mmCIF file of all heavy atoms in Angstrom:
data_model
loop_
_atom_site.group_PDB
_atom_site.id
_atom_site.type_symbol
_atom_site.label_atom_id
_atom_site.label_comp_id
_atom_site.label_asym_id
_atom_site.label_seq_id
_atom_site.Cartn_x
_atom_site.Cartn_y
_atom_site.Cartn_z
ATOM 1 N N PRO A 7 28.053 -8.922 -27.009
ATOM 2 C CA PRO A 7 27.887 -10.374 -26.940
ATOM 3 C C PRO A 7 26.987 -10.913 -28.048
ATOM 4 O O PRO A 7 27.238 -11.985 -28.578
ATOM 5 C CB PRO A 7 27.272 -10.577 -25.561
ATOM 6 C CG PRO A 7 27.759 -9.407 -24.760
ATOM 7 C CD PRO A 7 27.774 -8.273 -25.717
ATOM 8 N N ALA A 11 28.155 -13.523 -31.348
ATOM 9 C CA ALA A 11 27.576 -14.851 -31.444
ATOM 10 C C ALA A 11 27.649 -15.352 -32.867
ATOM 11 O O ALA A 11 27.692 -14.579 -33.818
ATOM 12 C CB ALA A 11 26.111 -14.807 -30.992
ATOM 13 N N LEU A 13 26.789 -16.259 -36.476
ATOM 14 C CA LEU A 13 25.738 -15.725 -37.330
ATOM 15 C C LEU A 13 25.216 -16.803 -38.271
ATOM 16 O O LEU A 13 25.203 -16.636 -39.481
ATOM 17 C CB LEU A 13 26.273 -14.548 -38.137
ATOM 18 C CG LEU A 13 26.309 -13.214 -37.423
ATOM 19 C CD1 LEU A 13 27.115 -12.215 -38.226
ATOM 20 C CD2 LEU A 13 24.897 -12.693 -37.208
ATOM 21 N N LEU A 18 31.045 -21.792 -42.693
ATOM 22 C CA LEU A 18 32.085 -20.793 -42.846
ATOM 23 C C LEU A 18 33.469 -21.404 -42.928
ATOM 24 O O LEU A 18 34.381 -20.844 -43.508
ATOM 25 C CB LEU A 18 32.022 -19.796 -41.689
ATOM 26 C CG LEU A 18 32.737 -18.462 -41.904
ATOM 27 C CD1 LEU A 18 32.233 -17.791 -43.178
ATOM 28 C CD2 LEU A 18 32.560 -17.561 -40.724
ATOM 29 N N PRO A 32 20.602 -3.186 -45.599
ATOM 30 C CA PRO A 32 20.045 -2.508 -46.773
ATOM 31 C C PRO A 32 18.616 -2.072 -46.487
ATOM 32 O O PRO A 32 17.914 -2.684 -45.677
ATOM 33 C CB PRO A 32 20.101 -3.592 -47.858
ATOM 34 C CG PRO A 32 20.054 -4.888 -47.108
ATOM 35 C CD PRO A 32 20.797 -4.634 -45.834
ATOM 36 N N VAL A 37 16.533 -1.924 -55.898
ATOM 37 C CA VAL A 37 17.546 -0.873 -55.809
ATOM 38 C C VAL A 37 17.097 0.455 -56.410
ATOM 39 O O VAL A 37 17.556 1.524 -55.981
ATOM 40 C CB VAL A 37 18.867 -1.353 -56.462
ATOM 41 C CG1 VAL A 37 18.697 -1.563 -57.956
ATOM 42 C CG2 VAL A 37 20.005 -0.390 -56.167
ATOM 43 N N VAL A 111 14.761 -5.058 -70.541
ATOM 44 C CA VAL A 111 15.340 -3.711 -70.513
ATOM 45 C C VAL A 111 14.237 -2.660 -70.619
ATOM 46 O O VAL A 111 14.235 -1.661 -69.882
ATOM 47 C CB VAL A 111 16.367 -3.539 -71.645
ATOM 48 C CG1 VAL A 111 16.994 -2.144 -71.591
ATOM 49 C CG2 VAL A 111 17.452 -4.611 -71.561
ATOM 50 N N TRP A 125 3.731 -0.305 -62.647
ATOM 51 C CA TRP A 125 4.742 -0.442 -61.600
ATOM 52 C C TRP A 125 5.237 0.909 -61.087
ATOM 53 O O TRP A 125 5.927 0.964 -60.071
ATOM 54 C CB TRP A 125 5.930 -1.257 -62.119
ATOM 55 C CG TRP A 125 5.695 -2.738 -62.047
ATOM 56 C CD1 TRP A 125 5.119 -3.526 -62.999
ATOM 57 C CD2 TRP A 125 6.008 -3.588 -60.955
ATOM 58 N NE1 TRP A 125 5.062 -4.829 -62.561
ATOM 59 C CE2 TRP A 125 5.607 -4.891 -61.308
ATOM 60 C CE3 TRP A 125 6.586 -3.389 -59.704
ATOM 61 C CZ2 TRP A 125 5.761 -5.985 -60.468
ATOM 62 C CZ3 TRP A 125 6.753 -4.469 -58.860
ATOM 63 C CH2 TRP A 125 6.343 -5.756 -59.232
ATOM 64 N N PRO A 153 14.318 -8.649 -80.654
ATOM 65 C CA PRO A 153 14.410 -9.143 -79.271
ATOM 66 C C PRO A 153 15.768 -8.957 -78.608
ATOM 67 O O PRO A 153 15.858 -8.985 -77.391
ATOM 68 C CB PRO A 153 14.054 -10.630 -79.412
ATOM 69 C CG PRO A 153 13.191 -10.701 -80.620
ATOM 70 C CD PRO A 153 13.761 -9.685 -81.556
ATOM 71 N N ALA A 190 -0.203 -11.939 -59.310
ATOM 72 C CA ALA A 190 -0.526 -12.511 -58.005
ATOM 73 C C ALA A 190 -0.985 -11.449 -57.010
ATOM 74 O O ALA A 190 -1.415 -11.786 -55.891
ATOM 75 C CB ALA A 190 0.685 -13.251 -57.448
ATOM 76 N N ALA A 215 21.131 -8.366 -39.085
ATOM 77 C CA ALA A 215 21.878 -9.585 -38.753
ATOM 78 C C ALA A 215 22.635 -10.131 -39.954
ATOM 79 O O ALA A 215 23.872 -10.169 -39.946
ATOM 80 C CB ALA A 215 20.935 -10.654 -38.179
ATOM 81 N N LYS A 279 43.257 -0.826 -50.074
ATOM 82 C CA LYS A 279 42.753 0.549 -50.068
ATOM 83 C C LYS A 279 43.041 1.253 -51.382
ATOM 84 O O LYS A 279 43.904 0.830 -52.159
ATOM 85 C CB LYS A 279 43.339 1.343 -48.896
ATOM 86 C CG LYS A 279 44.849 1.386 -48.821
ATOM 87 C CD LYS A 279 45.283 2.085 -47.535
ATOM 88 C CE LYS A 279 46.798 2.080 -47.379
ATOM 89 N NZ LYS A 279 47.216 2.762 -46.123
ATOM 90 N N LEU A 308 32.227 28.762 -41.210
ATOM 91 C CA LEU A 308 33.329 29.418 -40.511
ATOM 92 C C LEU A 308 33.461 28.956 -39.064
ATOM 93 O O LEU A 308 34.562 28.945 -38.497
ATOM 94 C CB LEU A 308 33.128 30.937 -40.547
ATOM 95 C CG LEU A 308 33.254 31.602 -41.920
ATOM 96 C CD1 LEU A 308 32.655 32.998 -41.886
ATOM 97 C CD2 LEU A 308 34.725 31.657 -42.344
ATOM 98 N N LYS A 312 37.411 22.388 -38.991
ATOM 99 C CA LYS A 312 37.541 21.160 -39.764
ATOM 100 C C LYS A 312 38.878 20.452 -39.532
ATOM 101 O O LYS A 312 38.956 19.233 -39.598
ATOM 102 C CB LYS A 312 37.350 21.441 -41.257
ATOM 103 C CG LYS A 312 35.914 21.733 -41.639
ATOM 104 C CD LYS A 312 35.666 21.493 -43.121
ATOM 105 C CE LYS A 312 36.503 22.343 -43.997
ATOM 106 N NZ LYS A 312 36.179 22.192 -45.433
ATOM 107 N N PHE A 320 39.110 11.220 -38.602
ATOM 108 C CA PHE A 320 39.755 10.424 -39.655
ATOM 109 C C PHE A 320 41.196 10.061 -39.334
ATOM 110 O O PHE A 320 41.777 9.202 -40.011
ATOM 111 C CB PHE A 320 39.687 11.175 -40.989
ATOM 112 C CG PHE A 320 38.340 11.107 -41.644
ATOM 113 C CD1 PHE A 320 37.392 12.089 -41.428
ATOM 114 C CD2 PHE A 320 38.003 10.035 -42.470
ATOM 115 C CE1 PHE A 320 36.144 12.036 -42.038
ATOM 116 C CE2 PHE A 320 36.764 9.963 -43.075
ATOM 117 C CZ PHE A 320 35.826 10.963 -42.855
ATOM 118 N N LYS A 362 21.746 38.024 -33.661
ATOM 119 C CA LYS A 362 22.743 38.375 -32.644
ATOM 120 C C LYS A 362 22.707 37.431 -31.456
ATOM 121 O O LYS A 362 23.739 37.097 -30.878
ATOM 122 C CB LYS A 362 22.493 39.813 -32.180
ATOM 123 C CG LYS A 362 23.438 40.309 -31.093
ATOM 124 C CD LYS A 362 23.107 41.737 -30.687
ATOM 125 C CE LYS A 362 24.041 42.209 -29.579
ATOM 126 N NZ LYS A 362 23.715 43.603 -29.153
ATOM 127 N N THR A 367 18.892 24.743 -33.416
ATOM 128 C CA THR A 367 18.794 23.894 -34.599
ATOM 129 C C THR A 367 19.063 22.446 -34.200
ATOM 130 O O THR A 367 19.196 22.125 -33.009
ATOM 131 C CB THR A 367 19.780 24.365 -35.691
ATOM 132 O OG1 THR A 367 19.502 23.670 -36.908
ATOM 133 C CG2 THR A 367 21.228 24.123 -35.288
ATOM 134 N N PRO A 373 23.820 6.159 -36.245
ATOM 135 C CA PRO A 373 24.423 5.589 -35.045
ATOM 136 C C PRO A 373 25.730 4.851 -35.299
ATOM 137 O O PRO A 373 26.606 4.822 -34.439
ATOM 138 C CB PRO A 373 23.349 4.619 -34.530
ATOM 139 C CG PRO A 373 22.558 4.262 -35.738
ATOM 140 C CD PRO A 373 22.574 5.468 -36.624
ATOM 141 N N SER A 383 29.158 9.822 -33.687
ATOM 142 C CA SER A 383 28.901 10.485 -32.410
ATOM 143 C C SER A 383 29.898 11.610 -32.163
ATOM 144 O O SER A 383 29.522 12.743 -31.832
ATOM 145 C CB SER A 383 28.953 9.463 -31.272
ATOM 146 O OG SER A 383 28.773 10.104 -30.027
ATOM 147 N N ASP A 399 22.675 26.906 -30.756
ATOM 148 C CA ASP A 399 22.386 25.788 -29.851
ATOM 149 C C ASP A 399 21.846 24.626 -30.687
ATOM 150 O O ASP A 399 20.701 24.647 -31.141
ATOM 151 C CB ASP A 399 21.358 26.233 -28.812
ATOM 152 C CG ASP A 399 21.084 25.161 -27.768
ATOM 153 O OD1 ASP A 399 21.783 24.123 -27.770
ATOM 154 O OD2 ASP A 399 20.147 25.342 -26.958
ATOM 155 N N PRO A 433 32.266 13.794 -63.337
ATOM 156 C CA PRO A 433 32.033 14.832 -62.312
ATOM 157 C C PRO A 433 30.573 15.224 -62.158
ATOM 158 O O PRO A 433 30.169 15.683 -61.090
ATOM 159 C CB PRO A 433 32.873 16.014 -62.798
ATOM 160 C CG PRO A 433 33.183 15.729 -64.219
ATOM 161 C CD PRO A 433 33.225 14.254 -64.362
ATOM 162 N N SER A 448 13.397 14.757 -56.046
ATOM 163 C CA SER A 448 13.653 13.330 -55.820
ATOM 164 C C SER A 448 14.194 13.052 -54.422
ATOM 165 O O SER A 448 14.131 11.921 -53.946
ATOM 166 C CB SER A 448 14.648 12.802 -56.862
ATOM 167 O OG SER A 448 15.939 13.350 -56.655
ATOM 168 N N ALA A 453 20.856 19.585 -49.653
ATOM 169 C CA ALA A 453 20.879 21.018 -49.333
ATOM 170 C C ALA A 453 19.558 21.682 -49.678
ATOM 171 O O ALA A 453 19.327 22.826 -49.276
ATOM 172 C CB ALA A 453 22.018 21.706 -50.083
ATOM 173 N N SER A 471 30.198 17.678 -75.220
ATOM 174 C CA SER A 471 31.083 16.526 -75.031
ATOM 175 C C SER A 471 32.533 16.936 -74.814
ATOM 176 O O SER A 471 33.349 16.114 -74.386
ATOM 177 C CB SER A 471 31.001 15.596 -76.246
ATOM 178 O OG SER A 471 31.355 16.290 -77.433
ATOM 179 N N LYS A 478 35.038 24.197 -67.634
ATOM 180 C CA LYS A 478 34.769 25.612 -67.374
ATOM 181 C C LYS A 478 33.414 25.796 -66.690
ATOM 182 O O LYS A 478 33.276 26.574 -65.745
ATOM 183 C CB LYS A 478 34.812 26.395 -68.682
ATOM 184 C CG LYS A 478 36.207 26.531 -69.289
ATOM 185 C CD LYS A 478 36.150 27.285 -70.613
ATOM 186 C CE LYS A 478 37.539 27.384 -71.254
ATOM 187 N NZ LYS A 478 37.481 28.071 -72.575
ATOM 188 N N VAL A 525 36.445 -13.311 -56.141
ATOM 189 C CA VAL A 525 37.068 -13.469 -54.823
ATOM 190 C C VAL A 525 37.102 -14.943 -54.434
ATOM 191 O O VAL A 525 36.110 -15.670 -54.569
ATOM 192 C CB VAL A 525 36.311 -12.656 -53.759
ATOM 193 C CG1 VAL A 525 36.917 -12.883 -52.380
ATOM 194 C CG2 VAL A 525 36.353 -11.170 -54.118
#
Side-chain angles (χ1 to χ4, degrees):
L13 278 168
L18 198 55
V37 66
V111 181
W125 278 89
K279 56 186 177 180
L308 292 164
K312 287 201 300 185
F320 283 93
K362 179 181 179 181
T367 190
S383 177
D399 184 7
S448 69
S471 58
K478 290 178 182 178
V525 177

